[in-house]
Structures are given as C-alpha cells and as structure tokens.
Amino acid sequence: MQMTQAGKQLLLVGNWKSHKNIDEAFDFFDGYRLRTEHKVIVCPPMPYVMPLKQKAEGKNVDLGAQDLSPFEMGAYTGAVTASMLKGMIKYVIVGHSERRKYFHETNEVVANKAKLALENEITPIVCVDEPYLESQLAFFEPAEFGKMVVAYEPLAAIGSGKPDSPDSAEKMAVRIKQLTSDDTKVIYGGSVTHENVRSFCELKNIDGVLVGGASLDINEWSLLVDAVK
Ligand code: PGA
C-alpha cells in the first residue's frame, strides 16, 4: 500500500466533542471496518472511552480523550486525571480553543495537562493558533516538544466550513517547528473533510489532521481515512 508521502505515517484524529449518546457511539464502532497504515485516533466524550476501547479492539483505531485534569489525583471534584487514563488511551487533546474559550483555560493550565499526560505515557495533542503561538508554547521545556503533537487550529476555520489554505497551514507548521523542535509532530485542524484532507496531509511539514464534524459520521470518516491511503 502506498503512503501519502513515502515513509510518513499520518495521525488522523477525530474529536467528537460533546456529541453522541452511548447507542450512537456504539453504532459508530459496530460499523467500523477501516484498514489503513496510518494512525487513527477517535476521541469520544470521557464516559465512553472505556466501553468503546473494548468495542474498538482489533479494529485499527485507538481511543483518545478530549481533555484531562491539570492536577494529580486528589480532592478535585469532577476531574479525570492522566494517571486514571494511563494505559486506556494513547493520546489526549489539550487546550482546544473551545476549552480555552468556554472553560477559561490558561496557557499554564494547558501546559500542566500536557505535562501530566507525558508523565503518564499519553501523548498530548496541544492545540494552538497563530496570534498566540509564542505564549501558548511558553510553558514547555525543550525536551517536551519532541514528545508531543501540536495541532495548528485557526479559530476561523473551526466548524465554519472554511478551512485554512494548505499554503498557510504549511507556513504555520514550519513556524511551529522553528519554535519547538524539528521532531515536533504538527497536525492541522479546522473544517477538514474527505475532500480536502489530502491537500493538508501531502504537505511536507504536516503530519496529520484533527477533525471535528467530519469524524462524527462513520461514512464521512471512512471516506476521509480512505482519502489518504
Ligand atoms: P471541525 O473541528 O473539523 O468541525 O472544524 C475541528 C476542531 O474543532 O478540532
């Protein structure tokens, strides 16, 4: 099977946000027959992670989380810690613009989440946007950059049906690598569909995509994953 770019394994991440009831979540995985050489991660709402992990067994898809606690275990009502998720998930999204906006997460809180994820063998997918890049990356140590994924998600492109241009995404990926390290994996997110996914994944410095709306429907998701085979 030919990869999109020779030797490049893409990261295709679906973020369900606060969508789907448990039956709909099960239906998605019951219908899951995708085969790909790339890494596919689906991030459902937190209560579904465990039951879906069992459903996803042997299906070429890993489960991720959409968030985790910035604290270790302790008296933090409602918080799910990285250590609780250890072994259950391989990736976690942190600092999504919706978390920053609606839950008032600061750059420091986001970095704490990412650091706890790393300590618990979970790869953080740290979401950033152009105007705040430097400050959003300021709380990380150089050694942490090579171990995390940075998702470039321009605000105007999220959920709008108006993706960034591949040219601009590539420029941002280069900039992010300059600010972090050559080893940092950079993915693009914002109105990615099966029709445009290839144009981002073909870029030299883009290592995959973070997908919201188009990850909800199994047919659309299958088309998207197939488009970069
Ligand atoms: P979208 O969402 O694909 O629906 O634009 C992307 C995201 O929020 O990560």
Side-chain angles (χ1 to χ4, degrees), residues 178-205:
Q178 280 166 351
L179 286 170
T180 58
S181 111
D182 279 346
D183 300 330
T184 307
K185 283 203 178 312
V186 180
I187 63 176
Y188 166 77
S191 297
V192 175
T193 65
H194 74 270
E195 281 160 346
N196 63 26
V197 64
R198 222 185 142 84
S199 65
F200 293 105
C201 290
E202 276 171 352
L203 299 167
K204 183 164 179 284
N205 288 286

mmCIF file of all heavy atoms in Angstrom, residues 178-205:
data_model
loop_
_atom_site.group_PDB
_atom_site.id
_atom_site.type_symbol
_atom_site.label_atom_id
_atom_site.label_comp_id
_atom_site.label_asym_id
_atom_site.label_seq_id
_atom_site.Cartn_x
_atom_site.Cartn_y
_atom_site.Cartn_z
ATOM 1 N N GLN A 178 9.983 25.639 14.113
ATOM 2 C CA GLN A 178 11.077 26.565 14.479
ATOM 3 C C GLN A 178 11.004 26.913 15.966
ATOM 4 O O GLN A 178 12.010 27.017 16.654
ATOM 5 C CB GLN A 178 10.990 27.855 13.669
ATOM 6 C CG GLN A 178 11.542 27.721 12.267
ATOM 7 C CD GLN A 178 11.139 28.906 11.387
ATOM 8 O OE1 GLN A 178 10.323 29.739 11.775
ATOM 9 N NE2 GLN A 178 11.693 28.954 10.185
ATOM 10 N N LEU A 179 9.783 27.105 16.456
ATOM 11 C CA LEU A 179 9.610 27.500 17.860
ATOM 12 C C LEU A 179 9.773 26.326 18.823
ATOM 13 O O LEU A 179 9.962 26.521 20.019
ATOM 14 C CB LEU A 179 8.205 28.089 18.066
ATOM 15 C CG LEU A 179 7.951 29.482 17.523
ATOM 16 C CD1 LEU A 179 6.463 29.807 17.580
ATOM 17 C CD2 LEU A 179 8.733 30.525 18.320
ATOM 18 N N THR A 180 9.630 25.109 18.310
ATOM 19 C CA THR A 180 9.682 23.937 19.192
ATOM 20 C C THR A 180 10.890 23.086 18.834
ATOM 21 O O THR A 180 11.984 23.346 19.300
ATOM 22 C CB THR A 180 8.367 23.145 19.090
ATOM 23 O OG1 THR A 180 8.147 22.743 17.735
ATOM 24 C CG2 THR A 180 7.180 23.965 19.574
ATOM 25 N N SER A 181 10.680 22.108 17.984
ATOM 26 C CA SER A 181 11.802 21.288 17.543
ATOM 27 C C SER A 181 11.441 20.637 16.213
ATOM 28 O O SER A 181 10.254 20.521 15.878
ATOM 29 C CB SER A 181 12.105 20.235 18.611
ATOM 30 O OG SER A 181 11.788 18.952 18.175
ATOM 31 N N ASP A 182 12.457 20.207 15.488
ATOM 32 C CA ASP A 182 12.210 19.549 14.203
ATOM 33 C C ASP A 182 11.421 18.264 14.384
ATOM 34 O O ASP A 182 10.775 17.783 13.464
ATOM 35 C CB ASP A 182 13.550 19.215 13.526
ATOM 36 C CG ASP A 182 14.106 20.442 12.827
ATOM 37 O OD1 ASP A 182 13.348 21.416 12.661
ATOM 38 O OD2 ASP A 182 15.306 20.418 12.477
ATOM 39 N N ASP A 183 11.527 17.699 15.592
ATOM 40 C CA ASP A 183 10.846 16.421 15.853
ATOM 41 C C ASP A 183 9.387 16.578 16.253
ATOM 42 O O ASP A 183 8.668 15.597 16.387
ATOM 43 C CB ASP A 183 11.549 15.673 17.003
ATOM 44 C CG ASP A 183 12.983 15.376 16.677
ATOM 45 O OD1 ASP A 183 13.265 15.199 15.481
ATOM 46 O OD2 ASP A 183 13.806 15.320 17.611
ATOM 47 N N THR A 184 8.956 17.809 16.492
ATOM 48 C CA THR A 184 7.560 18.004 16.901
ATOM 49 C C THR A 184 6.641 17.629 15.749
ATOM 50 O O THR A 184 6.829 18.092 14.624
ATOM 51 C CB THR A 184 7.299 19.486 17.268
ATOM 52 O OG1 THR A 184 8.271 19.884 18.213
ATOM 53 C CG2 THR A 184 5.904 19.671 17.851
ATOM 54 N N LYS A 185 5.662 16.805 16.050
ATOM 55 C CA LYS A 185 4.682 16.487 15.012
ATOM 56 C C LYS A 185 3.631 17.596 14.996
ATOM 57 O O LYS A 185 3.109 17.980 16.036
ATOM 58 C CB LYS A 185 4.000 15.153 15.319
ATOM 59 C CG LYS A 185 4.855 13.955 14.991
ATOM 60 C CD LYS A 185 3.991 12.725 14.771
ATOM 61 C CE LYS A 185 4.781 11.495 14.399
ATOM 62 N NZ LYS A 185 5.755 11.653 13.348
ATOM 63 N N VAL A 186 3.359 18.108 13.801
ATOM 64 C CA VAL A 186 2.369 19.179 13.676
ATOM 65 C C VAL A 186 1.216 18.670 12.819
ATOM 66 O O VAL A 186 1.430 18.135 11.722
ATOM 67 C CB VAL A 186 2.986 20.445 13.026
ATOM 68 C CG1 VAL A 186 1.938 21.549 12.915
ATOM 69 C CG2 VAL A 186 4.186 20.927 13.828
ATOM 70 N N ILE A 187 0.002 18.819 13.348
ATOM 71 C CA ILE A 187 -1.168 18.436 12.559
ATOM 72 C C ILE A 187 -2.040 19.674 12.350
ATOM 73 O O ILE A 187 -1.906 20.663 13.070
ATOM 74 C CB ILE A 187 -1.955 17.264 13.195
ATOM 75 C CG1 ILE A 187 -2.541 17.625 14.565
ATOM 76 C CG2 ILE A 187 -1.058 16.039 13.328
ATOM 77 C CD1 ILE A 187 -3.404 16.508 15.177
ATOM 78 N N TYR A 188 -2.909 19.586 11.342
ATOM 79 C CA TYR A 188 -3.782 20.728 11.043
ATOM 80 C C TYR A 188 -5.223 20.384 11.416
ATOM 81 O O TYR A 188 -5.691 19.264 11.160
ATOM 82 C CB TYR A 188 -3.721 21.086 9.541
ATOM 83 C CG TYR A 188 -4.852 22.019 9.177
ATOM 84 C CD1 TYR A 188 -4.780 23.373 9.523
ATOM 85 C CD2 TYR A 188 -6.026 21.542 8.588
ATOM 86 C CE1 TYR A 188 -5.848 24.222 9.267
ATOM 87 C CE2 TYR A 188 -7.093 22.384 8.330
ATOM 88 C CZ TYR A 188 -6.998 23.722 8.675
ATOM 89 O OH TYR A 188 -8.060 24.557 8.447
ATOM 90 N N GLY A 189 -5.950 21.345 11.982
ATOM 91 C CA GLY A 189 -7.367 21.151 12.270
ATOM 92 C C GLY A 189 -8.186 22.373 11.905
ATOM 93 O O GLY A 189 -7.732 23.512 12.065
ATOM 94 N N GLY A 190 -9.402 22.131 11.412
ATOM 95 C CA GLY A 190 -10.323 23.217 11.054
ATOM 96 C C GLY A 190 -10.989 22.917 9.735
ATOM 97 O O GLY A 190 -10.370 23.070 8.680
ATOM 98 N N SER A 191 -12.255 22.430 9.799
ATOM 99 C CA SER A 191 -13.055 22.150 8.599
ATOM 100 C C SER A 191 -12.383 21.174 7.640
ATOM 101 O O SER A 191 -12.438 21.343 6.413
ATOM 102 C CB SER A 191 -13.422 23.450 7.882
ATOM 103 O OG SER A 191 -14.233 24.248 8.719
ATOM 104 N N VAL A 192 -11.730 20.150 8.213
ATOM 105 C CA VAL A 192 -11.148 19.108 7.360
ATOM 106 C C VAL A 192 -12.264 18.141 6.965
ATOM 107 O O VAL A 192 -13.088 17.742 7.791
ATOM 108 C CB VAL A 192 -10.033 18.345 8.108
ATOM 109 C CG1 VAL A 192 -9.515 17.186 7.258
ATOM 110 C CG2 VAL A 192 -8.892 19.281 8.476
ATOM 111 N N THR A 193 -12.303 17.795 5.696
ATOM 112 C CA THR A 193 -13.292 16.835 5.178
ATOM 113 C C THR A 193 -12.572 15.811 4.302
ATOM 114 O O THR A 193 -11.371 15.956 4.033
ATOM 115 C CB THR A 193 -14.335 17.538 4.278
ATOM 116 O OG1 THR A 193 -13.637 18.042 3.114
ATOM 117 C CG2 THR A 193 -15.030 18.679 5.005
ATOM 118 N N HIS A 194 -13.337 14.829 3.804
ATOM 119 C CA HIS A 194 -12.693 13.838 2.924
ATOM 120 C C HIS A 194 -12.241 14.496 1.623
ATOM 121 O O HIS A 194 -11.363 13.989 0.938
ATOM 122 C CB HIS A 194 -13.632 12.656 2.661
ATOM 123 C CG HIS A 194 -14.761 12.936 1.734
ATOM 124 N ND1 HIS A 194 -15.989 13.403 2.153
ATOM 125 C CD2 HIS A 194 -14.866 12.819 0.381
ATOM 126 C CE1 HIS A 194 -16.785 13.555 1.113
ATOM 127 N NE2 HIS A 194 -16.128 13.213 0.021
ATOM 128 N N GLU A 195 -12.839 15.632 1.300
ATOM 129 C CA GLU A 195 -12.470 16.286 0.041
ATOM 130 C C GLU A 195 -11.164 17.081 0.134
ATOM 131 O O GLU A 195 -10.463 17.239 -0.856
ATOM 132 C CB GLU A 195 -13.597 17.219 -0.416
ATOM 133 C CG GLU A 195 -14.707 16.423 -1.077
ATOM 134 C CD GLU A 195 -16.029 17.173 -1.117
ATOM 135 O OE1 GLU A 195 -16.173 18.190 -0.411
ATOM 136 O OE2 GLU A 195 -16.903 16.711 -1.855
ATOM 137 N N ASN A 196 -10.846 17.603 1.322
ATOM 138 C CA ASN A 196 -9.634 18.437 1.411
ATOM 139 C C ASN A 196 -8.502 17.799 2.224
ATOM 140 O O ASN A 196 -7.416 18.360 2.315
ATOM 141 C CB ASN A 196 -9.976 19.836 1.963
ATOM 142 C CG ASN A 196 -10.530 19.789 3.387
ATOM 143 O OD1 ASN A 196 -10.237 18.865 4.131
ATOM 144 N ND2 ASN A 196 -11.313 20.781 3.767
ATOM 145 N N VAL A 197 -8.773 16.642 2.836
ATOM 146 C CA VAL A 197 -7.777 16.084 3.767
ATOM 147 C C VAL A 197 -6.418 15.831 3.096
ATOM 148 O O VAL A 197 -5.357 16.074 3.688
ATOM 149 C CB VAL A 197 -8.317 14.791 4.458
ATOM 150 C CG1 VAL A 197 -8.558 13.676 3.456
ATOM 151 C CG2 VAL A 197 -7.377 14.332 5.560
ATOM 152 N N ARG A 198 -6.467 15.392 1.872
ATOM 153 C CA ARG A 198 -5.223 15.069 1.168
ATOM 154 C C ARG A 198 -4.351 16.311 0.962
ATOM 155 O O ARG A 198 -3.127 16.249 1.093
ATOM 156 C CB ARG A 198 -5.563 14.435 -0.183
ATOM 157 C CG ARG A 198 -4.701 13.265 -0.519
ATOM 158 C CD ARG A 198 -4.964 12.722 -1.914
ATOM 159 N NE ARG A 198 -3.684 12.324 -2.474
ATOM 160 C CZ ARG A 198 -3.100 11.152 -2.250
ATOM 161 N NH1 ARG A 198 -3.689 10.259 -1.496
ATOM 162 N NH2 ARG A 198 -1.928 10.881 -2.770
ATOM 163 N N SER A 199 -5.003 17.432 0.702
ATOM 164 C CA SER A 199 -4.236 18.652 0.426
ATOM 165 C C SER A 199 -3.429 19.088 1.656
ATOM 166 O O SER A 199 -2.397 19.745 1.519
ATOM 167 C CB SER A 199 -5.156 19.782 -0.044
ATOM 168 O OG SER A 199 -6.042 20.151 0.991
ATOM 169 N N PHE A 200 -3.889 18.721 2.850
ATOM 170 C CA PHE A 200 -3.114 19.041 4.059
ATOM 171 C C PHE A 200 -2.083 17.955 4.347
ATOM 172 O O PHE A 200 -0.945 18.244 4.696
ATOM 173 C CB PHE A 200 -4.052 19.225 5.263
ATOM 174 C CG PHE A 200 -4.928 20.440 5.130
ATOM 175 C CD1 PHE A 200 -6.264 20.323 4.810
ATOM 176 C CD2 PHE A 200 -4.388 21.709 5.280
ATOM 177 C CE1 PHE A 200 -7.061 21.452 4.653
ATOM 178 C CE2 PHE A 200 -5.176 22.848 5.128
ATOM 179 C CZ PHE A 200 -6.511 22.710 4.813
ATOM 180 N N CYS A 201 -2.507 16.709 4.183
ATOM 181 C CA CYS A 201 -1.605 15.606 4.550
ATOM 182 C C CYS A 201 -0.424 15.476 3.596
ATOM 183 O O CYS A 201 0.594 14.877 3.940
ATOM 184 C CB CYS A 201 -2.389 14.302 4.631
ATOM 185 S SG CYS A 201 -3.490 14.283 6.058
ATOM 186 N N GLU A 202 -0.560 16.026 2.403
ATOM 187 C CA GLU A 202 0.551 15.964 1.441
ATOM 188 C C GLU A 202 1.660 16.964 1.768
ATOM 189 O O GLU A 202 2.752 16.877 1.225
ATOM 190 C CB GLU A 202 0.020 16.276 0.034
ATOM 191 C CG GLU A 202 -0.562 15.066 -0.640
ATOM 192 C CD GLU A 202 -1.279 15.418 -1.942
ATOM 193 O OE1 GLU A 202 -1.444 16.619 -2.229
ATOM 194 O OE2 GLU A 202 -1.656 14.491 -2.653
ATOM 195 N N LEU A 203 1.373 17.903 2.627
ATOM 196 C CA LEU A 203 2.354 18.957 2.916
ATOM 197 C C LEU A 203 3.546 18.384 3.678
ATOM 198 O O LEU A 203 3.382 17.531 4.546
ATOM 199 C CB LEU A 203 1.688 20.064 3.742
ATOM 200 C CG LEU A 203 0.517 20.763 3.053
ATOM 201 C CD1 LEU A 203 -0.257 21.611 4.046
ATOM 202 C CD2 LEU A 203 1.015 21.611 1.895
ATOM 203 N N LYS A 204 4.712 18.922 3.365
ATOM 204 C CA LYS A 204 5.949 18.378 3.928
ATOM 205 C C LYS A 204 5.958 18.398 5.457
ATOM 206 O O LYS A 204 6.383 17.448 6.097
ATOM 207 C CB LYS A 204 7.115 19.205 3.369
ATOM 208 C CG LYS A 204 8.469 18.728 3.808
ATOM 209 C CD LYS A 204 9.547 19.324 2.924
ATOM 210 C CE LYS A 204 10.929 18.876 3.350
ATOM 211 N NZ LYS A 204 11.416 19.555 4.537
ATOM 212 N N ASN A 205 5.475 19.496 6.039
ATOM 213 C CA ASN A 205 5.605 19.652 7.497
ATOM 214 C C ASN A 205 4.328 19.357 8.280
ATOM 215 O O ASN A 205 4.262 19.618 9.469
ATOM 216 C CB ASN A 205 6.106 21.064 7.811
ATOM 217 C CG ASN A 205 7.559 21.200 7.420
ATOM 218 O OD1 ASN A 205 8.431 20.676 8.091
ATOM 219 N ND2 ASN A 205 7.808 21.843 6.287
#
